[in-house]
Amino acid sequence: MPVRPLLRTATCAALLLGAAAAVPSAAAAPSAPAEYVTVDPEGRIAADGTVTLTGTYRCTAGTGRVYVSSSVNQSTPNVSYGIGGSVAVCDGAEHRWQNSGKAPKDALKAGPAKVEATLLELRGSGILIIPVPHAAGHHDVTLVEG
């Protein structure tokens, strides 16, 4: 077998390996900011039953409107009450959110509760609106009178 074709093949392989080593790997590239939603450990319940929940979130740009929704569960298993919603700004930075709402009379009281907060994008697709979750979190909180 002639030596020249082998030399060319070896040279090409060495050049390709050298070029691949010069390109940063995907693992070394900086990743996009993580998307998340948190709930503060203390929520408020007013005398009229209005619940106010707060927390933080981070999301990246979406193509549709993104909202922070929240729900609270206290004593009845598998029964959660929606507590408002607010518009989210998805620019990769951390932001605060606050939602308020009322549950049915006497459904919630001061004390321990479980809250689910969700970052949800409503993305248009033709005549349909598709819900696209960005992040969700389950948090234990204490509802305090106030």
Side-chain angles (χ1 to χ4, degrees):
M1 179 170 190
V3 175
R4 270 194 185 162
L6 285 175
L7 252 162
R8 269 191 292 228
T9 304
T11 302
C12 286
L15 287 173
L16 286 174
L17 286 173
V23 175
S25 70
S31 61
E35 295 188 317
Y36 61 83
V37 60
T38 69
V39 179
D40 292 338
E42 189 174 278
R44 301 258 180 233
I45 186 163
D48 69 354
T50 300
V51 174
T52 301
L53 302 170
T54 57
T56 61
Y57 70 90
R58 177 180 293 164
C59 61
T60 57
T63 59
R65 297 284 301 237
V66 180
Y67 298 90
V68 180
S69 66
S70 55
S71 62
V72 64
N73 168 293
Q74 198 165 47
S75 58
T76 308
N78 302 321
V79 176
S80 292
Y81 302 100
I83 305 298
S86 52
V87 176
V89 177
C90 290
D91 59 3
E94 183 174 278
H95 297 278
R96 299 273 314 149
W97 64 269
Q98 176 177 316
N99 292 342
S100 294
K102 279 187 177 181
K105 185 173 172 69
D106 298 326
L108 300 171
K109 61 184 186 323
K114 296 193 180 300
V115 172
E116 179 179 7
T118 305
L119 277 172
L120 186 69
E121 178 180 351
L122 298 179
R123 188 178 294 171
S125 177
I127 62 169
L128 298 175
I129 296 177
I130 309 294
V132 179
H134 281 252
H138 298 265
H139 304 273
D140 292 326
V141 302
T142 301
L143 296 178
V144 296
E145 292 178 359

